[in-house]
Amino acid sequence: MTLFEKIIAREIPADIVYEDDHCVAFRDINPAAPTHVLVVPRKPVVNVAEASAEDCELLGRVLLAAQAVARAEGIDGSGYRLVLNNGVAAGQSVFHLHCHVLGGRALSWPPG
Ligand code: AMP
């Protein structure tokens, strides 16, 4: 069971800011921006690289949940970044797909 499955099951506390039938979103414990929320599908897909065609709708649900989070956090007007790290070299540390919603400050590009 991944850390994020335990958060979804309420076995580990988290600051949950949004949930629907498909996704749960909670604040990152080590925020990289004033708003830093993780949108996690209830289904424990490892990452985009491991997703299959049957996850097509789920992937869309994750993005729409991220949109809802950004609106609720009030960062949709200024702009925000969505990040899905895939694999160790990309910085993925929790192997349960999650979309970082980052905003509330100017974000440089390209990332380091
Ligand atoms: P990634 O490096 O893309 O796999 O992102 C994993 C994220 O999970 C990191 O930004 C961590 O700070 C965050 N994280 C780790 N443990 C927790 C936790 N217990 N609650 C909330 N966020 C966490």
Side-chain angles (χ1 to χ4, degrees):
M1 200 176 194
T2 66
L3 169 66
F4 290 170
E5 283 178 277
K6 291 177 182 172
I7 288 175
I8 291 167
R10 306 307 206 262
E11 292 176 12
I12 291 177
D15 186 359
I16 293 172
V17 297
Y18 172 91
E19 61 184 318
D20 60 30
D21 288 347
H22 309 278
C23 301
V24 175
F26 48 88
R27 296 195 191 283
D28 195 292
I29 201 167
N30 185 24
T35 293
H36 188 172
V37 173
L38 304 173
V39 177
V40 181
R42 293 182 187 277
K43 178 182 175 183
V45 176
V46 171
N47 54 29
V48 171
E50 298 278 330
S52 65
E54 73 176 27
D55 299 315
C56 184
E57 182 188 341
L58 185 69
L59 294 172
R61 297 277 183 190
V62 169
L63 292 181
L64 288 176
Q67 177 197 63
V69 167
R71 287 178 176 168
E73 294 288 317
I75 56 173
D76 53 324
S78 56
Y80 56 92
R81 182 170 294 165
L82 304 180
V83 174
L84 294 101
N85 292 325
N86 283 268
V88 173
Q92 186 174 11
S93 60
V94 179
F95 289 85
H96 181 146
L97 189 149
H98 49 283
C99 178
H100 296 255
V101 182
L102 295 149
R105 66 170 172 84
L107 299 164
S108 61
W109 189 262

